[in-house]
Structure formats: structure tokens, C-alpha cells
Amino acid sequence: MKSTYTKKLIDYICFTKDRVTSNIVNPYEKELDFQSSENSYFILDEEITQFEKFYSGLFNSLQSSLEICAKDRDVFLDYYSDPRLYQILTHNKFDVFRGIFRHDVLEVNGTLKLLEINGGANIGGWELDMLAPMQLEYLRKANLFSQEVISYRSVVASMIDSLIVQMASLDKEKLSGNIGVFITKMDYININKRNFYASFFDDIYRSSAQYKEGQVHLICEEQSLQISEDGALCFDEIPIDALLMMEHNISRELQEKLLVSHLTKKIFCTDTLLNNLVSDKSTMALLHDIRIFDLQPQSIKQWITQNVPWTIRLDRYLNGCFEHKSSIDIIKNQADFVIKKCRSLQGKDVYIGRFMTAEKWQSLILNIDETQDWIVQQYFESDLLPSIDAELEPISVPFVWGVFDFNGQYGGSLIRSFISSQVNDGVINAANGAVVVTVFEELQIDDQLTLIL
């Protein structure tokens, strides 16, 4: 059963022409780099359970695949071309669950299918925390909902709660409770930006029910970080237990030290070289690579087959390294496939065959130079989302879930969709004109929704 609140809110908006989100005066508007939908979506506990089962299946599959891969140096270097990272991972126990992620997921006939994994603190989407509470208050003041029947799960608050749990599990004699937030130097020297980050993160941290001690420290220069021989991290001699990386422009040497400290549980770091490896789209090809897949237990094979669209690196496809799909012709069957660059963001370098002419599709495949940096992936059409168009009329559109995963726990979600049935290249991304839909949770209490129509 799914919540009926979404349809009832759509009925209200279409009937009254009330532009719910546009009517809100948002002091944080400049911080939002996406267009927010007038509509919202509501989920029940059973959908949250479905997400967490998906996380479990995904990371069991990733953990097993990477452990198998780590036993075969040639396969690892074939995918990641990083001998030093291979050495670190083979000399330290690693756990891919320990991280901060947003999974972009399609819902296809009710089944969740992975599009990509985004890892680290600066994954985008958490900015809804600056809008959703005002949307919620507007809906309540408009007498749309009886009191306490819906709630918003703060992504940042969920992330901070997860950090506290991870800090408590560190292998250290004494915990400081201090969290470092590494931001760009430009943001640091901007007084308004610096004050915003400081108050935003510190207020949420101190208001957590799990907070004991410590504070948030803003960092903008890697020279101010010191890592001791045993892996402990300090910021200008202040001990740090967890590090959020909003800025990734740091030296390789520091990245390697942070990874080792993270793996040995001296710190919890949200952005490591392991995160980068998991977030590389070629990892979805690794899951399907027969050198790895054939060694998996049947339960993991079934999960990958059901939840990860068949994926192969483009160079391996062109070389015929796909025994399980040997009859596939991606040129003749372009409507069934997508080509993506392994490392790109915001929907860039994503080409969906059915939205291209045959000539452009074939030209794309034949003119990609670094074919090892691209993947071919099976295309699926998503289920349709009930929504509204620009004129506040009802419409059903394809959509993508962005579900936040903090160490296997649901940490909130968002939806991206278009406000028109006419799409150009089929890539559903906020940078490509999609709107972001706030997701609220329906509380399991007797109080029912009342609409004034």
C-alpha cells in the first residue's frame, strides 16, 4: 500500500491553483541550485523498509565483489588502474558499508534498479533541508493536514546522527566528539558562507539526541591537518573524530593517509579513495563481470541480476568480453541501451539510445577515444509519478529516486522528475531541467488527512 496523500495534494493544487512552493519566502534561496516542484510526495514505512533492503543487497554485493576483485590484481588494475590503492585495500580490512551515499534509483514495476552511486558529503540534495520545513509549515497553515500526520526527515540531521554512531565505534582511547568540515578556501574567506556553514552544521550537531560533546570545526587548508603515526587526526592540534569533505581538492598523499586512518577506525571520513571507487560507474560493470559474477553465491547473483541493470565497460564490449550477453548488438538495439562516462556528475555524458538518431548513436560509439572510461548499460523505463505540470494540471511523468544511505540506514530521499511529458534527451537530472520533489513521510497514527476543497 502506498500513501494516498500525494494524489490528494495534487487534487488540491489543481483545484485551487495554489503554487505551494513558489509562495514560500525562502531566505536560503540562493543556496539552492535547483528548481523545486510545487508538488510533494509522501511515503510510508514500508517504502523506507524497501530502501533499506535495497541498501543491504547493494552493499553485500559490492563488498563481496570488491573482496573477490582484491584477490586478483589484474582484474583490480583493469578496472581502477591504481596500484597504490590496491596495495592499501589488500593490507587493510575494508567495509564499504561505512560511508555516506546517495543512490540514484529507478522504480520499474515496483522494483528498485540502480542507476549510480554518489558517495561523500558533497553529494547534493541535502539542500532540501533549507526548504522542506517551510513547505511543511505552509501545508499545515493552509489546513491541508491535521497536526502531526506528516514529517520531513532531515538529510543533514540523519547524516550527523550517523557520524555520532561511527565516532562511537572508533578504535581510540579517548573520543573528542569533534567534527571537521573541510570547505573551499573561497567559502571560508566569505564571511557569510563561513558563518552559514558553522551555524548550520553545529546547530544540527548539538541538537542531536545522541550528542555528548565536541563541536564542528571549519577547515580550508590541508596544511592545518596532522595525522599521527597511529592514524589519529588533528586540526591545528585539536583532535578530530570525523571529517566531512565538502572540498575534494586535496593532495593524493593526504587522501591515502585519510583512507588508512578510516580503514583502521582512527577516524570516520566521509570522502575517501574507497568512496571514489564505489562511486565510479564502472563498478556496476564489475558487478556483472563474469570474472567476478561467476564466483558469487547464488543470492548475490540473483540480487545483481534483479537490481543492477546489465552493465559492461565500453572497451570490453567492443573487444567481445561479454560471454553472458554474446548476442547483444548495441548499435542495432540502441533503444535498449545507455552509454555513460564512468566519472561524471549532474547528468553530463549520459546518452540514451532511444532519444538519439541512429546516425548520432553510431557516431558516438565509434568516436569515443578513451573507451575504458565509458560504460554501456541496459535501459529501463521508470514507473510513472503522479505530478503536476507548469500550468498546475495533473500529469504522470518518469522519475528518479535519490535515496540517502548512511551506513545502511535510510537518511531521507528526494525525487527528480520533469514537469512535462516532452523530454529532450531523457536524462532526468536537476542540471538538465528536472524539478526536485520534496519527500515527506506519513506518520502511522490514527489522525487522518483532511483537505479543504
Side-chain angles (χ1 to χ4, degrees):
M1 183 184 72
K2 292 194 174 184
S3 173
T4 60
Y5 287 19
T6 301
K7 182 181 183 305
K8 292 180 178 179
L9 178 57
I10 290 172
D11 289 345
Y12 165 81
I13 293 174
C14 293
F15 181 81
T16 63
K17 303 302 179 185
D18 182 354
R19 293 188 177 275
V20 174
T21 301
S22 297
N23 290 337
I24 296 171
V25 178
N26 184 1
Y28 302 114
E29 186 171 0
K30 292 182 179 179
E31 304 296 332
L32 306 180
D33 58 356
F34 54 80
Q35 180 184 353
S36 184
S37 172
E38 304 293 351
N39 188 39
S40 299
Y41 192 80
F42 301 84
I43 61 174
L44 300 169
D45 284 346
E46 62 191 58
E47 288 163 285
I48 295 174
T49 299
Q50 183 186 19
F51 290 142
E52 292 187 336
K53 286 182 178 178
F54 180 85
Y55 302 162
S56 178
L58 172 59
F59 282 103
N60 284 336
S61 301
L62 284 170
Q63 185 72 30
S64 179
S65 296
L66 290 173
E67 286 177 354
I68 294 171
C69 187
K71 296 175 183 177
D72 190 325
R73 188 175 188 273
D74 291 339
V75 174
F76 185 94
L77 296 183
D78 179 24
Y79 272 88
Y80 304 113
S81 304
D82 195 331
R84 176 59 182 155
L85 178 58
Y86 177 78
Q87 184 180 21
I88 293 173
L89 294 181
T90 52
H91 285 79
N92 295 277
K93 183 179 179 181
F94 62 88
D95 182 356
V96 294
F97 280 91
R98 290 183 69 229
I100 287 176
F101 302 97
R102 190 197 76 222
H103 310 304
D104 289 351
V105 177
L106 279 185
E107 193 168 335
V108 181
N109 297 322
T111 298
L112 300 178
K113 293 188 180 291
L114 181 68
L115 289 181
E116 64 179 68
I117 302 171
N118 301 278
N122 198 16
I123 49 182
W126 62 268
E127 298 91 344
L128 269 178
D129 280 10
M130 296 181 278
L131 174 64
M134 288 176 278
Q135 290 175 304
L136 188 60
E137 186 64 20
Y138 184 94
L139 296 175
R140 286 175 172 166
K141 285 185 177 179
N143 293 320
L144 285 174
F145 300 93
S146 53
Q147 195 68 15
E148 307 302 333
V149 300
I150 57 172
S151 67
Y152 172 73
R153 187 174 304 222
S154 165
V155 174
V156 178
S158 298
M159 179 179 68
I160 294 296
D161 286 344
S162 176
L163 288 186
I164 295 173
V165 172
Q166 289 299 319
M167 288 191 292
S169 69
L170 294 178
D171 183 17
K172 297 175 70 173
E173 289 186 8
K174 179 174 174 54
L175 298 175
S176 67
N178 291 326
I179 298 174
V181 179
F182 203 115
I183 63 175
T184 67
K185 193 163 187 177
M186 184 177 297
D187 283 345
Y188 191 87
I189 62 178
N190 183 317
I191 298 298
N192 292 332
K193 280 275 190 180
R194 187 167 79 233
N195 289 341
F196 166 76
Y197 276 118
S199 61
F200 184 72
F201 284 108
D202 202 59
D203 289 350
I204 292 175
Y205 182 35
R206 292 176 183 275
S207 64
S208 171
Q210 302 180 68
Y211 173 78
K212 294 181 179 179
E213 61 178 334
Q215 66 184 83
V216 173
H217 298 269
L218 297 184
I219 304 165
C220 71
E221 294 182 345
E222 68 173 87
Q223 291 79 8
S224 62
L225 295 175
Q226 305 89 39
I227 300 179
S228 64
E229 290 186 4
D230 69 352
L233 176 68
C234 285
F235 161 57
D236 288 340
E237 300 185 356
I238 300 170
I240 299 292
D241 291 338
L243 186 62
L244 293 174
M245 300 293 294
M246 308 298 290
E247 163 61 57
H248 294 163
N249 188 24
I250 60 173
S251 68
R252 172 69 186 215
E253 180 184 5
L254 179 58
Q255 290 180 49
E256 291 183 4
K257 288 181 177 180
L258 289 174
L259 174 58
V260 173
S261 293
H262 175 82
L263 295 178
T264 55
K265 291 195 171 184
K266 299 303 180 183
I267 62 167
F268 178 77
C269 183
T270 61
D271 298 69
T272 66
L273 294 170
L274 180 59
N275 276 87
N276 297 343
L277 182 151
V278 170
S279 300
D280 190 315
K281 296 182 186 70
S282 68
T283 297
M284 289 187 287
L286 178 76
L287 294 177
H288 285 279
D289 190 312
I290 61 170
R291 295 173 292 179
I292 304 296
F293 186 87
D294 285 355
L295 300 177
Q296 299 284 18
Q298 190 60 30
S299 60
I300 288 181
K301 288 180 179 179
Q302 289 176 345
W303 191 91
I304 292 173
T305 300
Q306 175 176 296
N307 298 99
V308 183
W310 181 76
T311 310
I312 188 169
R313 219 171 55 196
L314 181 57
D315 63 319
R316 290 181 58 75
Y317 171 82
L318 295 174
N319 292 334
C321 303
F322 54 102
E323 288 85 343
H324 285 187
K325 296 283 183 178
S326 58
S327 62
I328 284 178
D329 187 330
I330 67 172
I331 292 181
K332 289 183 179 179
N333 301 291
Q334 70 178 72
D336 297 329
F337 294 98
V338 184
I339 292 179
K340 304 177 181 178
K341 198 167 187 178
C342 294
R343 298 186 181 184
S344 62
L345 301 171
Q346 298 182 327
K348 297 176 181 177
D349 302 310
V350 176
Y351 300 92
I352 302 177
R354 66 179 54 200
F355 292 94
M356 300 175 66
T357 65
E359 293 75 19
K360 287 186 176 180
W361 177 254
Q362 184 170 353
S363 175
L364 169 70
I365 294 170
L366 298 178
N367 288 289
I368 290 176
D369 292 326
E370 305 295 332
T371 54
Q372 74 275 11
D373 295 335
W374 295 76
I375 60 169
V376 178
Q377 189 171 72
Q378 187 178 4
Y379 176 80
F380 285 92
E381 285 188 308
S382 82
D383 295 343
L384 297 181
L385 178 78
S387 190
I388 53 175
D389 63 17
E391 285 71 44
L392 304 186
E393 294 296 330
I395 190 174
S396 295
V397 291
F399 70 103
V400 173
W401 281 105
V403 287
F404 292 91
D405 169 6
F406 303 136
N407 309 297
Q409 300 293 312
Y410 176 74
S413 59
L414 56 86
I415 287 173
R416 288 167 299 183
S417 69
F418 290 113
I419 55 175
S420 170
S421 57
Q422 302 297 317
V423 295
N424 294 324
D425 58 11
V427 180
I428 306 173
N429 192 282
N432 197 38
V435 296
V436 176
V437 182
T438 304
V439 176
F440 293 112
E441 296 173 33
E442 177 185 342
L443 304 182
Q444 303 295 295
I445 58 179
D446 293 333
D447 212 352
Q448 297 297 312
L449 172 70
T450 56
L451 284 172
I452 299 178
L453 295 176

